[in-house]
Amino acid sequence: DQQVKQNSPSLSVQEGRISILNCDYTNSMFDYFLWYKKYPAEGPTFLISISSIKDKNEDGRFTVFLNKSAKHLSLHIVPSQPGDSAVYFCAASDNRDDKIIFGKGTRLHILP
Amino acid sequence: DSGVTQTPKHLITATGQRVTLRCSPRSGDLSVYWYQQSLDQGLQFLIQYYNGEERAKGNILERFSAQQFPDLHSELNLSSLELGDSALYFCASSVTPGAHNEQFFGPGTRLTVL
């Protein structure tokens, strides 16, 4: 049973436009959410996170929005750049243990 | 470069065999995590060690085992290998345990079981 779902396996966005990556979760005990970015032949790298006490966190071109009632979070990238082409993993954790549950990832293609 | 090293990069072996994957965490990181990424799957958490002690266990098969040594490097042992064990295996490290801490990932070991 997948607790963290990224329902879009891939997404194509024009360079300069906004990229919106979505993530849904089922476990209401999750209290911390993270996004990781992965290039081919490399390990994932941390991008941005948000605590369940907030509904928005911004870091430069990247903003994560959390809607706890809908158990939904999204990552916005504005403006999208060619270097943003990668696989993006949504992840969630429960403060009661150290496990992080990852989604299957969304492959983002930034089109020239 | 995350500072986490994993060896080997690629490993090809046959069913029924046993292999050992090695991970060296970033300097100063005490916590090591192992993940498996199979085709079309997300990162599946396997096991975590902190300062030599097992701290958390995920969906790790009984055929798999791991340990963290006094110098903090870690090894993941996979035995009685099956075709379905073919995957990318990532190691990650963090300064302290706790899912809220940023984890730094190595480049992974690609295991192919024939």
Side-chain angles (χ1 to χ4, degrees):
Chain A
D1 180 31
Q2 265 198 292
Q3 297 186 66
V4 177
K5 299 178 186 178
Q6 294 178 258
N7 292 320
S8 298
S10 68
L11 176 68
S12 294
V13 174
Q14 208 77 34
E15 182 179 352
R17 307 292 291 267
I18 183 171
S19 295
I20 300 177
L21 295 95
N22 293 305
C23 178
D24 297 296
Y25 61 96
T26 58
N27 188 342
S28 57
M29 297 303 295
F30 285 149
D31 63 348
Y32 201 74
F33 304 89
L34 310 96
W35 285 92
Y36 278 79
K37 174 179 175 178
K38 184 183 180 304
Y39 292 119
E42 295 182 13
T45 55
F46 171 77
L47 194 55
I48 193 169
S49 62
I50 187 167
S51 163
S52 61
I53 63 173
K54 294 186 174 182
D55 54 19
K56 176 182 172 182
N57 188 26
E58 194 171 346
D59 183 1
R61 296 186 299 113
F62 302 91
T63 303
V64 57
F65 295 92
L66 175 63
N67 182 335
K68 288 186 290 294
S69 59
K71 294 193 181 71
H72 176 85
L73 64 154
S74 60
L75 174 69
H76 292 215
I77 307 173
V78 181
S80 300
Q81 297 175 354
D84 296 330
S85 293
V87 176
Y88 290 78
F89 290 99
C90 170
S93 72
D94 175 346
N95 196 34
R96 293 172 300 172
D97 63 37
D98 292 342
K99 297 176 197 173
I100 295 181
I101 309 298
F102 283 84
K104 291 187 178 183
T106 295
R107 184 177 299 278
L108 176 64
H109 299 271
I110 303 302
L111 306 171
Chain B
D1 185 356
S2 66
V4 178
T5 59
Q6 289 187 248
T7 56
K9 275 191 171 178
H10 303 276
L11 199 46
I12 301 174
T13 188
T15 54
Q17 295 298 304
R18 171 190 167 95
V19 296
T20 298
L21 311 184
R22 183 188 168 102
C23 168
S24 292
R26 285 189 329 156
S27 177
D29 284 358
L30 299 179
S31 210
V32 169
Y33 311 77
W34 284 98
Y35 293 88
Q36 179 193 57
Q37 185 183 19
S38 303
L39 195 63
D40 295 331
Q41 295 292 316
L43 291 155
Q44 301 285 323
F45 169 73
L46 295 178
I47 197 164
Q48 180 201 359
Y49 280 82
Y50 174 67
N51 206 18
E53 299 289 326
E54 181 184 305
R55 186 168 169 98
K57 225 169 184 175
N59 300 324
I60 187 166
L61 299 171
E62 284 192 17
R63 301 183 285 109
F64 296 1
S65 65
Q67 54 183 325
Q68 186 179 26
F69 295 86
D71 67 352
L72 301 176
H73 91 270
S74 178
E75 291 181 357
L76 178 67
N77 300 296
L78 315 176
S79 61
S80 303
L81 284 167
E82 302 175 0
L83 295 177
D85 297 327
S86 295
L88 261 173
Y89 291 84
F90 288 102
C91 167
S93 72
S94 63
V95 176
T96 54
H100 294 195
N101 294 306
E102 178 182 349
Q103 294 182 16
F104 295 85
F105 282 78
T109 292
R110 181 172 293 280
L111 173 66
T112 303
V113 182
L114 301 174

